[in-house]
Amino acid sequence: MGKATGFMDYSRTLPVLRAAVERVRDWSEFHGHHDEATLREQGSRCMDCGVPFCHTGTLINGAASGCPINNLIPEWNHLVYTGNWRAALDVLHKTNNFPEFTGRVCPAPCEGSCVLGIGDEPVTIKSIECAIVDRGFEEGWIVPEPPLVRTGKRVAIVGSGPAGLACADQLNKSGHWVTVFEKADRIGGLLLYGIPNMKLDKSIVQRRVTLLAAEGIEFVTNTEVGKDYETSKLVHDFDAVVLCGGAAKPRDLLIPGRELKGIHFAMDFLTANTKRLLDSHDSVSEFSSAHRFGTDLSATGKDVIVIGGGDTGTDCIATALRQGCRSLVQFEIMPQPGPVRTFDNPWPQWPKVHRVDYGQEEAAEIFGADPRAYSIRSEVFIGNDAGELMGVQTITVEWQKGISGSSGLNGAVNSSAANTALTIAPVPNSEHTWPAQLVLLAMGFAGPSLSGPIADLHLSLTTRGTLAVNENKMTTHPGIFAAGDIERGQSLVVWAIFDGRHAAVCVDQHLR
């Protein structure tokens, strides 16, 4: 350990973000880095724990604990403290193909499991990780490294999100010829179109894609397997196939008025915005005025309601602000979390506490208050005679712990969950009507699209609607593998990278 008293000498310090009133007027990234001296101080806070949990990547009672890809966090914290940045980069890349992505968009379950966080503020793991890889690119240390020997085997990856790219990278390093098929017009999947530019600049995604292409990976865009490229041909042309299409089917809200014009899925809204930005060829530093968003799928001049929390809901808030919405509210059906862990959410689980993310911070700065309304259930979408959305009628709900034998959220009786089942009940006389001309549904995803290879190959599904795979990531069709949200269900970018790496190992063993 470089500095035995580092965690006592220095407090946790995060990089200063750009001011909210400034950053909402452009699409540039809102976060930066500390200077080197401060980063080294922050690295010295890592205690070289006897039993560290930050890198464990386990599930404890269903809750995430530590880094899913088992990043060697204490090692590269120590190397940053001692100024060995190149070595820190090498250690970081041992476990993480794309630290420039996770260092920006990951919620950092590693920090939630930091031992220092038991009685103090955890180490700034995420910002140090991002600083390491960004310096690697700046210094020219990250260059194409194609494999010296090729096996002659050909592998197709369907989908270019984090799981697909990680799988492709690992298989290419093993010497196989890899082709990535993407139905969109650009490579990156969720990283490109699902995450706004101010959170993950698209030039950073393209930089890594360009590097992977230089290492020998072939990318094919505007090609939907099963439609533009027959599934039977794919199986015939390649020695193995890995399906990484994600969990693209969004959860809907089927209440009266759902057919009204002005109600959209969050991912459609985010995708359209990023595509406009990339297609416009304008600088991301320029504010996008109303004329550039003159379609129905725009927040400009509208009262906007985002239904659902999580990262996607936050990204919708931030995007709507930059498009120039008139007002903004975010509905969350769950109650507001408390400021500290509850007894049933102990360390080293991810702490389920109240947080203010970048979008809520910006909305509070612009409109004077946090945009979230908790314990709110949408009842009816209200429209005019032209079929246009005008508002949302809601009711406040109350959550209570169930009693033995009571029904839970799904209506099923489960006496074994007597002390954990939650019941929901409307609060009398709590109806409220909110003005809205745009509603964005950000309630998560129900599973993968069942068209294309899944239907063509009659692949089996799990009871959750995800693609069924065995312990070797193989589906019920020999030689067809799957990785990421398509088989795990909706999850984090870092879990997708983990799944992609795991699938690559299984495919490599299968081919050899």
Side-chain angles (χ1 to χ4, degrees):
M1 182 168 59
K3 187 173 179 59
T5 60
F7 68 98
M8 296 187 291
D9 294 340
Y10 307 110
S11 60
R12 174 182 168 95
T13 304
L14 291 172
V16 177
L17 305 182
R18 295 168 58 211
V21 291
E22 171 195 336
R23 66 187 192 236
V24 295
R25 297 197 58 81
D26 61 51
W27 301 97
S28 300
E29 284 193 349
F30 57 82
H31 40 63
H33 294 311
H34 281 307
D35 56 41
E36 181 169 354
T38 303
L39 285 165
R40 292 177 67 170
E41 289 176 357
Q42 292 301 296
S44 78
R45 296 184 71 239
C46 187
M47 301 189 299
D48 193 22
C49 313
V51 186
F53 279 76
C54 56
H55 69 290
T56 53
T58 58
L59 291 176
I60 301 176
N61 292 331
S65 172
C67 177
I69 50 178
N70 309 123
N71 275 336
L72 303 172
I73 294 165
E75 284 86 340
W76 44 257
N77 274 334
H78 169 78
L79 290 166
V80 166
Y81 166 66
T82 57
N84 293 313
W85 287 86
R86 179 57 192 268
L89 178 67
D90 292 340
V91 172
L92 180 56
H93 268 148
K94 283 181 181 292
T95 56
N96 192 347
N97 302 71
F98 315 121
E100 68 272 31
F101 303 156
T102 55
R104 285 171 166 81
V105 306
C106 185
C110 53
E111 294 187 12
S113 299
C114 175
V115 174
L116 181 57
I118 298 175
D120 199 345
E121 291 294 313
V123 176
T124 54
I125 300 169
K126 178 179 173 179
S127 61
I128 294 175
E129 173 187 28
C130 194
I132 293 171
V133 67
D134 282 359
R135 179 159 181 171
F137 278 108
E138 292 168 4
E139 298 285 353
W141 296 333
I142 303 175
V143 296
E145 297 180 4
L148 299 178
V149 178
R150 290 289 181 179
T151 65
K153 300 290 185 179
R154 302 184 66 214
V155 182
I157 309 289
V158 181
S160 67
L165 292 181
C167 189
D169 189 21
Q170 292 299 106
L171 287 169
N172 184 65
K173 284 179 167 61
S174 297
H176 307 301
W177 291 108
V178 180
T179 301
V180 178
F181 293 90
E182 171 55 56
K183 65 181 180 181
D185 60 340
R186 295 175 173 90
I187 295 295
L190 170 73
L191 297 166
L192 191 82
Y193 282 132
I195 300 173
N197 197 84
M198 56 278 191
K199 192 172 179 180
L200 175 61
D201 193 289
K202 303 314 157 189
S203 65
I204 292 173
V205 178
Q206 185 57 50
R207 179 178 63 184
R208 181 63 73 167
V209 171
T210 300
L211 185 72
L212 296 175
E215 293 178 333
I217 297 175
E218 180 184 6
F219 293 104
V220 181
T221 57
N222 293 306
T223 302
E224 184 175 353
V225 174
K227 180 180 178 182
D228 305 308
Y229 194 106
E230 293 184 4
T231 301
S232 58
K233 177 175 171 59
L234 189 79
V235 175
H236 177 271
D237 291 349
F238 293 89
D239 299 294
V241 176
V242 188
L243 303 179
C244 302
K249 185 165 61 178
R251 288 195 178 94
D252 209 341
L253 184 58
L254 301 178
I255 60 175
R258 174 63 180 87
E259 75 285 353
L260 292 170
K261 182 181 179 181
I263 304 168
H264 300 276
F265 291 117
M267 202 54 63
D268 293 339
F269 174 69
L270 295 175
T271 297
N273 182 78
T274 298
K275 184 165 174 53
R276 288 191 197 105
L277 182 64
L278 294 176
D279 289 347
S280 70
H281 305 296
D282 290 342
S283 169
V284 296
S285 63
E286 296 176 359
F287 177 66
S288 296
S289 56
H291 75 274
R292 286 180 55 198
F293 297 94
T295 68
D296 176 48
L297 199 58
S298 167
T300 306
K302 296 178 181 178
D303 301 303
V304 178
I305 293 177
V306 178
I307 301 180
D311 291 339
T312 301
T314 297
D315 293 339
C316 285
I317 287 173
T319 301
L321 286 170
R322 284 160 176 78
Q323 288 187 2
C325 63
R326 180 166 55 199
S327 69
L328 189 60
V329 182
Q330 182 180 19
F331 294 163
E332 296 207 27
I333 195 169
M334 297 299 292
Q336 179 175 326
V340 296
R341 293 179 184 268
T342 56
F343 75 94
D344 57 351
N345 176 219
W347 177 92
Q349 290 181 348
W350 172 249
K352 300 173 184 177
V353 298
H354 180 67
R355 294 179 175 83
V356 179
D357 209 336
Y358 79 106
Q360 287 85 25
E361 178 189 358
E362 292 168 355
E365 186 71 26
I366 301 303
F367 295 118
D370 191 307
R372 289 171 288 189
Y374 293 93
S375 299
I376 294 292
R377 186 173 71 189
S378 302
E379 300 285 289
V380 179
F381 293 123
I382 302 170
N384 59 19
D385 293 339
E388 300 168 327
L389 177 71
M390 298 300 292
V392 182
Q393 181 180 318
T394 67
I395 193 168
T396 302
V397 296
E398 185 176 29
W399 293 86
Q400 296 177 338
K401 288 287 181 70
I403 59 174
S404 181
S406 65
S407 61
L409 294 180
N410 61 2
V413 174
N414 182 5
S415 60
S416 65
N419 295 321
T420 58
L422 291 174
T423 59
I424 183 172
V427 176
N429 303 316
S430 63
E431 295 84 359
H432 186 76
T433 299
W434 310 72
Q437 299 82 50
L438 177 65
V439 164
L440 302 172
L441 304 179
M443 303 180 298
F445 299 87
S449 171
L450 301 183
S451 60
I454 295 180
D456 295 342
L457 300 174
H458 306 289
L459 301 179
S460 296
L461 303 176
T462 67
T463 55
R464 298 182 298 120
T466 57
L467 200 52
V469 296
N470 63 16
E471 65 276 8
N472 295 316
K473 293 288 186 180
M474 190 182 291
T475 68
T476 47
H477 189 291
I480 308 297
F481 299 78
D485 290 2
I486 196 170
E487 55 91 12
R488 174 181 291 275
Q490 179 189 0
S491 191
L492 304 176
V493 168
V494 68
W495 274 113
I497 294 174
F498 168 83
D499 288 335
R501 290 172 65 90
H502 182 192
V505 171
C506 297
V507 172
D508 183 56
Q509 292 174 345
H510 171 74
L511 293 177
R512 292 180 186 276

